Amino acid sequence: MKSVVILISGRGSNMEALLAAVARGELPVRVAAVISNRPDAKGLETAAQQGIATAVVDHKAFAGRELFDAAMAECIDAHAPDLVVLAGFMRILSEGFVRHYEGRLLNIHPSLLPSFPGLHTHERALAEGVRIHGCTVHFVTPALDHGPVVVQAAVPVLDGDDEATLAARVLAQEHVVYPLAVRWFAEGRLRLESGRVLLDAERALPAPLISP
Ligand code: NHR
Ligand code: GAR
């Protein structure tokens, strides 16, 4: 069974959705650890209550991003995971870190990428007046929120929505698609090849060099 390390920064509801899917037998992975860059992340308590190993790598304790990323990578690699999952993780990761986990690092972003990369996505979607919003699971590449898309879920923007109501509608979909994407990876059905996402793609065997 594949093992997963989940990185969080706060509430951890996406982490909870993943753990719940594992508990229901719908997600065949072993969650090796939950790691936060913030010591006060609520999700750490939730994970510990469920018997999952937790760790904190506090970005404030490091002089720069590269040093933080190196410490984070060391903490992750101690668990030798097959997959690293960003679940509301709020620190931009350096190119070296991202390359180290190429093809085994997923993120969920609260917009329909490539619209609204970065922060404050719901506020910006409301300000733009879009009628459809949503979330995106993507492989992480060095270009922030521009990695190859695995799956997206769309929701309507309704009259009278504010940031909170819109965020809640999107979050409910995040909790559906993230366990789905991680499951595809766990089952060996999802991979990144030459920068493209492949789902259920059988590699054709090379034709044998035998003449009749
Ligand atoms: N790193 C790389 N290289 N590529 C991506 O696609 C990444 C990434 C790191 C995180 C998640 C992302 C999101 O889904 C993610 C994708 C944090 C910021 C940010 O500006 C932006 C996007 C995302 C995560 N962070 C501030 C920073 O200076 C700090 C903000 C805070 O601490 O609250 O790192 O949206
Ligand atoms: C989620 O909406 C996630 O998509 C978003 O933050 C929320 C975290 O909630 N992620 C980002 O904005 C990354 N920059 P959670 O901690 O309850 O999963």
Side-chain angles (χ1 to χ4, degrees), residues 10-15 87-90 108-110 119 122 171 174:
R11 179 178 54 186
S13 73
N14 275 292
M15 172 206 77
F89 182 71
M90 297 306 292
I108 190 154
H109 179 78
L119 303 176
H122 308 306
L171 191 65
E174 295 185 39

Side-chain angles (χ1 to χ4, degrees), residues 111-112 114-117 119-134 157-159 161-163 166:
S111 79
L112 290 173
S115 289
F116 312 121
L119 303 176
H120 313 297
T121 55
H122 308 306
E123 183 188 323
R124 288 157 61 205
L126 287 170
E128 291 288 352
V130 298
R131 305 311 320 234
I132 300 173
H133 188 42
V157 180
L158 301 179
D159 293 338
D161 263 343
D162 58 22
E163 223 184 302
L166 184 55

Side-chain angles (χ1 to χ4, degrees), residues 61-143:
F62 297 89
R65 284 186 190 269
E66 304 276 340
L67 292 168
F68 165 71
D69 284 6
M72 182 57 96
E74 193 179 331
C75 188
I76 294 167
D77 289 348
H79 300 277
D82 298 292
L83 177 68
V84 179
V85 169
L86 307 183
F89 182 71
M90 297 306 292
R91 300 301 298 176
I92 296 171
L93 296 160
S94 58
E95 173 153 10
F97 181 99
V98 171
R99 294 267 179 245
H100 179 65
Y101 298 103
E102 193 172 2
R104 53 191 183 111
L105 181 56
L106 290 175
N107 178 46
I108 190 154
H109 179 78
S111 79
L112 290 173
L113 291 172
S115 289
F116 312 121
L119 303 176
H120 313 297
T121 55
H122 308 306
E123 183 188 323
R124 288 157 61 205
L126 287 170
E128 291 288 352
V130 298
R131 305 311 320 234
I132 300 173
H133 188 42
C135 59
T136 303
V137 177
H138 65 95
F139 280 102
V140 174
T141 62

